[in-house]
Every structure is written in structure tokens, then in C-alpha cells.
Amino acid sequence: MSHSAVVDAAELARFRELQQLAYEAAQSVGEGLEPGVTERQAARRIREYLVARGVQDWFHTPFAWFGDRTAFRRFKVPLQFFPTNRRLAEGMPFILDCAPVRDGYVADIGYAGCLGENRVFERLMDDLGAYRQLIVEQVRAGNTLRDIYGAVDALISEQGYDNRHQVYPGRVIAHQVGKVHSRLPTFMVGGFGIRSLQTLFGDLLVERMHHRSPLWADGEISNHPATPGMWAVEPHIGFRGVGVKFEEILVVTTDGDAYWLDDDLPHVRRWSGKVATA
């Protein structure tokens, strides 16, 4: 299949390589988590893993959420998203989220795991797979971002869960990503890289001129089909104090096609394994 791309194949390969590295970091750190480790320690481990492998900057600093914080329980202000001294215990779910920048390329990923057994976590993870399929099908159908957000909400209700991405700033389920172009120094403001923020705000201004937004939510500004380019998509569902999500890049072409940048990711391997053995 030929895709009318906004990003050429060589560039896509660099984005895919960095996304793979970000997932490797999250999976490696996740598999090494032990009872008593704090969210801050887990986030620091992700940072160290990625810096050692050439990451120079961040779209946002690494996050780690343990226990009921995976479902953003009682989150009211942005500061609550930052890692805390919450300690991991047996049976606790966790989410690791990182957004490294290397040589101008950006990845933004979310990885859900659990220390030991947790039946609610396993059920949520199995049901999360339906969102990956739903979102790409809806984008290909040319539906508006606002309508797709509504379709995701409908599936969440059908499954009996809670929408947790509505707690993110701006209620976003996704945001556009591209190469970071900035001459500003590497510097963090409120957990976000200043270079990445400058790029995002530039995109925001350009998109608003076309009555679009690089942020995908359920408001009027998202009442248009997906803009061609790359989107970091993160459906996040919760139930009884357990939250799970994935976050990965969706590529939207100029001719209206859409596909996930990479199928060789931990959550996709989990679901394809379930299908293969079903």
C-alpha cells in the first residue's frame, strides 16, 4: 500500500527507533521494580536509562504512577501528575510514561504493568486492546477527532469503565508530535522541555489559524478529521482504583489513511499472543 506521507520513510524510521527505545526503557525499569520502590525512584531509573542511550532532552520528564494513582484518583491540579514518594507493594498496578527527545526526534509512550497478581489489572489490559483497533478504524473512516473521542467514551461506558484521559490537562486523548526545531537551550519548565513547548505552541498557533488544534480532545476545536502527520495517542481507562493505558504514535497520511507506527510493542505483543492462543 502506498501512503501519501507528510513524514518520509527515513524520518519515520528514526521516530520508530526512538519509540522502541522509550518502550525498552519502560519495560526494563518496570520488570525491575521491587516492593518499596517509590514513583520518584522509578522515574529516575527511566531517565538514567535513556540518558545513557543518547537522549538529550524531553517533551516531558518521565512519570510513574503506582496503585490508585494509575487511575488519577482525586487528581485536581497538574502538580499531582508528578512522581511522588508513593511506594510500590505486591499486587499494585503501575504506569510508566516517558517522552524522550534525541536528535530532534520525539517519542511519547505509556507502559502499564503490575507487581505480581491483580485480576482487575489483567482484565483492563485485555480490554484495552479494543481501543487501538477502534481509533485507527475511525481515523481511516474520516470521522472527526471529536466524534472519535465520543466513540472511545461509548466503548468505555459499554465496558463499564471510567475515562481517565479526561483528567489530563485539556482532557486530551492525543497530541501531535513532530521534530523539535528550536535554538533555545535545553531547559525544563513545569516538567516539559522548553524546546518541545516552543514547537508545540508554534504548531498550536498555525493549527488555530486553520481552525484546528494539535491537541485532540472532545471540544469544538477537535471537530475536524485527523490532521496528517503523527499523533501520540493515549486512551486511558480505569476501574476500582486501577488504571491502564498505552501511548504510541499513530501516523495519518495526506490521503486519509492511518496506521500505527510500530506493531512490535509490549502491549501489542500481549494482545496478539492472546489472539493466537484463543
Side-chain angles (χ1 to χ4, degrees):
M1 184 190 297
S2 69
H3 298 290
S4 300
V6 209
V7 188
D8 68 37
E11 298 257 282
L12 283 176
R14 298 289 301 274
F15 280 105
R16 189 181 298 113
E17 187 182 310
L18 185 58
Q19 181 171 265
Q20 275 281 346
L21 177 63
Y23 262 108
E24 277 170 29
Q27 188 165 24
S28 172
V29 169
E31 288 171 353
L33 293 177
E34 69 280 2
V37 66
T38 68
E39 291 177 346
R40 284 181 180 156
Q41 288 168 334
R44 191 177 310 122
R45 290 176 191 179
I46 297 170
R47 178 193 290 274
E48 288 169 355
Y49 187 103
L50 290 167
V51 168
R53 288 158 181 81
V55 165
Q56 307 115 329
D57 196 5
W58 309 89
F59 175 67
H60 65 68
T61 55
F63 292 112
W65 302 297
F66 295 169
D68 65 356
R69 282 174 50 78
T70 58
F72 297 165
R73 285 284 169 249
R74 294 176 293 280
F75 278 29
K76 302 291 183 200
V77 295
L79 284 175
Q80 290 174 287
F81 288 96
F82 288 98
T84 68
N85 288 321
R86 166 72 66 90
R87 294 186 184 277
L88 195 62
E90 194 66 29
M92 240 188 215
F94 60 83
I95 294 176
L96 305 176
D97 186 311
C98 62
V101 178
R102 186 172 67 177
D103 301 331
Y105 295 90
V106 183
D108 195 350
I109 68 99
Y111 174 80
C114 190
L115 185 67
E117 294 296 309
N118 184 310
R119 281 188 293 181
V120 174
F121 169 81
E122 295 297 334
R123 184 178 129 194
L124 281 165
M125 275 304 293
D126 286 346
D127 288 346
L128 187 63
Y131 297 88
R132 193 174 191 267
Q133 188 175 345
L134 172 73
I135 288 165
V136 75
E137 285 173 354
Q138 294 259 327
V139 173
R140 283 174 177 163
N143 295 339
T144 69
L145 296 179
R146 190 184 193 182
D147 285 346
I148 301 170
Y149 196 107
V152 168
D153 268 347
L155 180 56
I156 293 172
S157 296
E158 188 184 312
Q159 292 181 338
Y161 302 142
D162 299 321
N163 174 336
R164 303 322 295 155
H165 47 265
Q166 69 184 6
V167 183
Y168 286 104
R171 298 173 58 87
V172 298
I173 191 174
H175 59 86
Q176 275 191 287
V177 293
K179 284 192 78 173
V180 172
H181 300 287
S182 174
R183 293 183 178 178
L184 291 173
T186 305
F187 187 67
M188 305 303 295
V189 175
F192 284 82
I194 192 71
R195 294 178 177 192
S196 300
L197 281 179
Q198 185 190 31
T199 302
L200 182 65
F201 282 126
D203 291 344
L204 197 58
L205 290 172
V206 170
E207 291 294 302
R208 283 294 168 106
M209 285 165 59
H210 295 93
H211 307 291
R212 299 186 305 236
S213 172
L215 306 175
W216 174 349
D218 54 352
E220 186 61 40
I221 199 68
S222 295
N223 202 17
H224 61 85
T227 311
M230 295 180 300
W231 293 82
V233 185
E234 51 183 332
H236 190 155
I237 59 176
F239 183 70
R240 291 186 181 167
V242 177
V244 300
K245 74 165 183 171
F246 65 81
E247 183 173 12
E248 55 172 307
I249 291 175
L250 178 73
V251 181
V252 180
T253 67
T254 53
D255 57 9
D257 195 12
Y259 59 94
W260 296 104
L261 179 62
D262 195 355
D263 287 325
D264 187 20
L265 300 174
H267 50 285
V268 187
R269 291 194 291 268
R270 172 194 174 98
W271 297 325
S272 56
K274 294 271 185 188
V275 171
T277 56

